Amino acid sequence: MLREPLPGRPLVRITAAAAGLALAAAGCGTSARGDTGTVKIGYFQGAVAGPEAIVAANGDLAGKVPAKIRLQPIDSGVAGMAQLRAGAFPFVSGVGNPPFTGAFASGTDVKAVYVESIDASGLAVNDRIKAPGDLRKVGVLVGSTLDFQLRGWLKSQGLTSKVQIASFASEAAEAAAWKAGKIDSVYISRSFLLELQKHKARVLVGSADIAKLGFAAVNMLAVSSAYAKQHADVVQALVCQISKAETLVKGPQADKYITPASKFIGVAPADAIAATKSYPYIPASEETGWLKGPDGTSASGRLAQNFKLTADFLVTQGRAKSVPDTAEIARHIDPAFWDKAQSGGCK
């Protein structure tokens, strides 16, 4: 998506006091040998506790990062990448492929160093839609990773010229339109999808199936190239601990690690636990294939292929002038930190 917000992580309002508490807590328990000060990370609030929140909230993880972690809420990937470019923070966690690709295509010097997850979303339809050919008009969050996935799927089904896309400024408005019967199908993130299913919506196709066609909506840890060069130790530690966090929230100690992270995302611990445990984080066994291909280069990895398709989408949307060549795309993917993590670099 444009990360408005992470599918499965609906944007929530929190009080200024709560936000201040979260930011203050981010620095607690994070002292580490060789501390390099404070590192700020742009992140999304909502039902799912992102790996950056898990790390920041748990001292045994945060303490291995040689900087104090401060999380700064963002409400869209485009805004987050603009803030990164302006120097507000060097990292954005959970940024989707359209805003990331759009950023580097327009000159932002940024690198994807870890692929965190694939969006969990689906095409919700009413009982009048029995098959793809019955679709006439589909609602979607404009310019988002969902928009990217929907258009890619429609193209694969030969339906591009047959189905009208209704653009919405928010997923809440999209869901409300479906409930009111103003539209019979919407491609929407999981949190809204689950709600629509309570109103008898049926899922015609899911994001996992669309991802297999090459149109994956991926969420990444992005870092300013300049920061990565100057503070490689911090980037390395964050990649290591974020990967560990994603493993822990799927294991027997999940509740222990998710509960303190709930203060960052603005939901009750029980809600955060339920949403986070089932969220589709990418398994460590699949991470390498995203960052680089069989020949060992980022140019042939799944992420580079995804960025090319994403750039095609951005050009058709008028949000990018041209599709970057393979070498330019590869320059913004750095598998070195993950490679080091796999060869003992996290010890």
Side-chain angles (χ1 to χ4, degrees), residues 288-299:
T288 298
W290 279 99
L291 293 169
K292 62 183 184 180
D295 63 356
T297 69
S298 56

Side-chain angles (χ1 to χ4, degrees), residues 138-150:
V138 183
V140 72
L141 182 64
V142 62
S144 63
T145 51
L146 300 176
D147 197 347
F148 163 70
Q149 281 204 299
L150 173 63

Side-chain angles (χ1 to χ4, degrees), residues 1-324:
M1 296 178 65
L2 288 182
R3 316 302 304 140
E4 307 100 334
L6 177 65
R9 240 187 270 183
L11 186 63
V12 294
R13 295 182 181 277
I14 58 175
T15 65
L21 176 63
L23 292 177
C28 295
T30 60
S31 62
R33 188 174 298 174
D35 194 317
T36 58
T38 299
V39 60
K40 299 177 182 179
I41 304 174
Y43 81 113
F44 295 88
Q45 298 165 329
V48 174
E52 73 292 326
I54 300 294
V55 173
N58 290 277
D60 58 329
L61 301 178
K64 294 179 181 178
V65 178
K68 294 181 179 179
I69 300 172
R70 176 172 295 175
L71 301 184
Q72 295 192 194
I74 56 176
D75 58 13
S76 79
V78 170
M81 295 309 294
Q83 288 173 267
L84 180 148
R85 183 171 185 168
F89 37 70
F91 289 94
V92 175
S93 183
V95 65
N97 40 295
F100 181 86
T101 304
F104 76 70
S106 62
T108 301
D109 196 3
V110 65
K111 294 183 184 294
V113 293
Y114 186 78
V115 183
E116 298 174 349
S117 61
I118 294 179
D119 283 350
S121 49
L123 181 58
V125 300
N126 61 24
D127 56 10
R128 293 191 295 274
I129 306 298
K130 307 298 183 183
D134 297 332
L135 295 168
R136 293 294 178 268
K137 188 175 184 179
V138 183
V140 72
L141 182 64
V142 62
S144 63
T145 51
L146 300 176
D147 197 347
F148 163 70
Q149 281 204 299
L150 173 63
R151 291 174 191 270
W153 180 74
L154 290 174
K155 182 178 180 180
S156 75
Q157 301 298 305
L159 296 172
T160 300
S161 62
K162 300 176 182 178
V163 177
Q164 179 184 354
I165 293 179
S167 297
F168 285 82
S170 74
E171 291 199 277
E174 186 184 342
W178 189 91
K179 290 179 183 179
K182 295 180 180 179
I183 192 167
D184 53 24
S185 57
V186 290
Y187 192 70
I188 202 163
S189 63
R190 185 177 61 170
S191 56
F192 289 96
L193 190 63
L194 294 174
E195 174 63 23
L196 295 186
Q197 286 180 295
K198 295 177 182 178
H199 293 265
K200 300 182 179 180
R202 182 169 60 87
V203 179
L204 189 63
V205 65
S207 58
D209 294 320
I210 297 176
K212 292 176 183 177
L213 300 174
F215 301 97
V218 295
N219 305 306
M220 301 159 284
L221 178 66
V223 61
S224 157
S225 295
Y227 187 91
K229 184 177 181 179
Q230 296 169 5
H231 303 286
D233 57 336
V234 177
V235 180
Q236 185 65 62
L238 279 172
V239 168
C240 288
Q241 298 312 309
I242 278 178
S243 174
K244 186 174 182 180
E246 292 188 349
T247 299
L248 288 169
V249 299
K250 301 297 183 181
Q253 293 185 298
D255 292 14
K256 170 188 171 182
Y257 282 92
I258 298 171
T259 296
S262 64
K263 67 177 175 284
F264 291 114
I265 59 176
V267 300
D271 293 335
I273 289 169
T276 307
K277 281 184 175 180
S278 60
Y279 195 74
Y281 287 118
I282 290 176
S285 60
E286 298 178 13
E287 183 69 28
T288 298
W290 279 99
L291 293 169
K292 62 183 184 180
D295 63 356
T297 69
S298 56
S300 61
R302 293 181 66 187
L303 197 56
Q305 297 170 30
N306 176 276
F307 287 167
K308 185 178 186 305
L309 290 171
T310 304
D312 284 331
F313 162 73
L314 294 173
V315 170
T316 62
Q317 293 282 294
R319 293 163 52 206
K321 294 181 179 179
S322 62
V323 177

